Amino acid sequence: MSKKIQAIRGMNDLLPDQSPLWQYFEGQVRTLMSRYGYDEIRTPIVEQTALFKRSIGEVTDIVEKEMYTFEDRNGDSLTLRPEGTASCVRAALEHGLLHNQTQRLWYQGPMFRHERPQKGRYRQFHQIGVESFGLEGPDIDAEMILLSARLWQQLGLSEHVTLELNSLGSAEARAAYRDTLVDYFESHYELLDEDSRRRLTSNPLRILDSKNPDMAPMLADAPRMIDHLDAESRDHFARLTAMLDAAGIGYVVNLRLVRGLDYYSRTVFEWTTTALGSQGTVCAGGRYDGLVEQLGGKPVPAVGFAMGIERLILLLDTLELVPDEARGELDVYLLPMGEATEPAALLLAERLREALPTLRLQLHCGGGSFKSRIKKADRSGARLALLLGEDELAENAVTLKFLREDREQRRLDQDALAETLTSLLAGETLA
Ligand code: HAM
């Protein structure tokens, strides 16, 4: 036998037993987006490398060491998208979606980052992202947060996630703060670890993110962005928090929250959970008022966020919050009990599907002995089996067998079958 080829490390197959939960989650999101008036956008998975370098930032972890970049056959440098915001801006600019109009968009799909795989962190992962363009005030920031909070509520996750919030100020205020911070770190150079020394010139704000306990006391005394905010950003942040207070959304102001992508200004936020170990950020985003201009457009204010689908699915599983409808179980397994009734069973299955559009019915195909047919019915996970033998066929009937309950089997009239199944599946007992 030749050696089997395996999937790439950190890139997962989504197997049939998991897909109903994904579909449930995606369905919840799709409905929510339309309820808030957001339109879906789909962009290619591959973009020119320059797009991500210019938007995410040359000295971020993503661009420095995590991108899947390759030359295509023309010699162009292409990259598998590590996130969706840059592509969204590129597409909106390219198609004139930002000319004197506002946009509220959402997208979903795979993203690629060459990170060290672990629970909740993969090299191909999936995001649902939301972006708005042309809206400057904190009302849209608040709406985005409320939208995500409503999703947690629908999924039963509200008590298991915490909202962390910060403001990074305007680009100018951040540049001034950066200088203050560099001065501070330089005066404590001996306390910086190697990583932080490297970041001192490239990305000093990220030093604040360091998890190194030896640096914690020095970081605690570092100058705080919040004290260096420009007046407009301070006002924006105050109005945002007032709106969240009024809406009853709890949050923690985390002055260390800086995010790992360079395009943010003003509001940044993350929803985190403690139930997933170290990869606890399930949703994150913020305002990026400078990005459209940076990518060649006129200045357009923008804000957005993205959530990691794998992490949210893991969370639902871990907390046992998977509702029955997300288990994808069959209602009915219909079995012809021999070759002679196979054509009639096929037609009966279609008749039932016609009459009951939400019924989940699987037809037994492939023959087999009586015993193996019954075994398959049981393994199908269906609640009910319908047996169609030659006797039943002659009487225009079927035999109903309860697969999950200890109840007597019984004959049912085919003409009343749709009605009977509806009552049974609604949990009613039969007369
Ligand atoms: P991000 O923080 O890089 O932001 O990613 C957003 C979310 O994607 C994370 O909070 C996490 O749930 C998930 N995620 C990221 N990396 C991985 C991974 N390797 N494995 C599994 N899940 C992961 C962005 O991507 C921004 N584009 C968000 C945004 C939209 N900001 C404004 N608009």
Side-chain angles (χ1 to χ4, degrees):
M1 253 199 302
S2 54
K3 199 164 171 260
K4 285 190 193 128
I5 297 173
Q6 298 206 316
I8 296 164
R9 192 163 120 82
M11 303 204 181
N12 300 314
D13 298 306
L14 176 63
L15 298 179
D17 65 337
Q18 278 283 301
S19 53
L21 179 51
W22 279 64
Q23 285 170 359
Y24 157 75
F25 177 78
E26 289 161 358
Q28 293 276 323
V29 171
R30 188 167 295 121
T31 313
L32 187 73
M33 296 304 170
S34 88
R35 289 177 67 198
Y36 277 76
Y38 284 69
D39 298 319
E40 187 180 3
I41 181 166
R42 301 187 189 196
T43 61
I45 291 176
V46 184
E47 298 272 1
Q48 290 189 40
T49 303
L51 175 67
F52 301 115
K53 286 194 173 171
R54 246 157 88 182
S55 53
I56 298 169
E58 295 266 6
V59 288
T60 55
D61 283 353
I62 297 180
V63 171
E64 273 188 343
K65 45 191 187 201
E66 295 170 2
M67 294 208 302
Y68 281 90
T69 297
F70 59 96
E71 263 191 22
D72 80 350
R73 288 173 193 275
N74 308 327
D76 297 330
S77 179
L78 305 183
T79 293
L80 297 185
R81 63 179 183 197
E83 58 108 50
T85 309
S87 309
C88 221
V89 174
R90 197 261 318 131
L93 277 174
E94 192 166 331
H95 301 284
L97 305 187
L98 305 180
H99 280 308
N100 302 324
Q101 49 185 325
T102 61
Q103 294 289 346
R104 293 180 206 205
L105 305 174
W106 74 279
Y107 52 87
Q108 69 169 327
M111 308 291 160
F112 303 84
R113 296 184 193 174
H114 196 276
E115 297 190 78
R116 201 163 42 78
Q118 63 178 86
K119 180 180 157 193
R121 189 165 72 193
Y122 311 102
R123 290 181 174 171
Q124 174 177 317
F125 59 99
H126 296 77
Q127 280 185 347
I128 285 176
V130 182
E131 317 286 356
S132 84
F133 297 101
L135 298 165
E136 201 169 3
D139 46 354
I140 185 71
D141 308 35
E143 178 182 274
M144 295 242 168
I145 289 172
L146 291 178
L147 182 155
S148 48
R150 184 173 297 282
L151 182 64
W152 315 144
Q153 186 206 356
Q154 284 178 11
L155 297 170
L157 291 174
S158 302
E159 285 161 29
H160 305 280
V161 288
T162 307
L163 174 62
E164 295 182 21
L165 210 57
N166 194 16
S167 176
L168 301 180
S170 66
E172 301 75 42
R174 206 162 62 261
Y177 171 63
R178 190 191 138 115
D179 292 344
T180 314
L181 205 56
V182 170
D183 286 348
Y184 175 79
F185 287 141
E186 275 175 348
S187 67
H188 294 86
Y189 194 77
E190 71 290 352
L191 297 175
L192 296 178
D193 60 17
E194 203 184 314
D195 229 18
S196 303
R197 285 179 184 178
R198 200 173 51 83
R199 285 188 166 139
L200 190 57
T201 44
S202 59
N203 200 350
L205 263 70
R206 285 301 302 283
I207 299 176
L208 296 172
D209 241 2
S210 167
K211 305 282 182 292
N212 183 346
D214 296 341
M215 285 176 36
M218 183 272 291
L219 290 179
D221 289 338
R224 306 180 319 163
M225 180 73 225
I226 202 92
D227 302 324
H228 292 76
L229 286 186
D230 50 297
E232 278 181 18
S233 296
R234 199 172 309 131
D235 176 61
H236 194 276
F237 193 61
R239 284 163 61 209
L240 169 62
T241 51
M243 284 183 224
L244 295 178
D245 291 338
I249 300 284
Y251 56 87
V252 177
V253 176
N254 175 358
L255 302 177
R256 297 271 191 80
L257 188 64
V258 292
R259 312 268 304 120
L261 303 93
D262 276 357
Y263 48 61
Y264 292 109
S265 55
R266 296 200 171 152
T267 315
V268 285
F269 65 93
E270 293 191 354
W271 288 96
T272 58
T273 176
T274 52
L276 292 181
S278 64
Q279 303 305 312
T281 307
V282 291
C283 174
R287 194 160 262 290
Y288 49 98
D289 292 339
L291 184 58
V292 175
E293 191 177 17
Q294 217 170 300
L295 291 178
K298 295 208 178 101
V300 173
V303 56
F305 68 82
M307 49 191 145
I309 305 186
E310 282 84 356
R311 292 187 190 175
L312 285 159
I313 296 281
L314 258 174
L315 190 58
L316 291 172
D317 253 338
T318 309
L319 300 171
E320 298 182 4
L321 288 171
V322 180
D324 284 347
E325 59 173 302
R327 293 186 202 283
E329 277 157 10
L330 290 172
D331 300 314
V332 173
Y333 193 80
L334 173 60
L335 302 97
M337 296 314 291
E339 218 178 295
T341 59
E342 280 169 7
L346 192 71
L347 294 184
L348 178 60
E350 288 306 313
R351 257 182 22 233
L352 289 171
R353 291 181 183 123
E354 196 77 29
L356 304 172
T358 60
L359 181 74
R360 288 166 296 182
L361 177 148
Q362 192 173 79
L363 174 70
H364 176 87
C365 289
S369 67
F370 179 81
K371 215 170 130 192
S372 80
R373 284 172 203 241
I374 296 291
K375 216 170 173 177
K376 280 223 169 120
D378 198 42
R379 284 216 193 120
S380 75
R383 277 179 63 194
L384 308 172
L386 296 176
L387 281 51
L388 186 67
E390 290 181 45
D391 289 354
E392 285 91 347
L393 190 59
E395 286 172 29
N396 192 37
V398 288
T399 296
L400 166 71
K401 217 169 133 49
F402 293 91
L403 294 171
R404 315 284 152 220
E405 294 149 278
D406 192 13
R407 284 167 73 177
E408 284 283 298
Q409 64 178 45
R410 52 191 296 170
R411 279 276 164 111
L412 298 175
D413 180 3
Q414 278 193 27
D415 291 337
L417 193 53
E419 221 173 294
T420 316
L421 286 176
T422 306
S423 325
L424 273 170
L425 294 168
E428 291 166 26
T429 46
L430 296 184

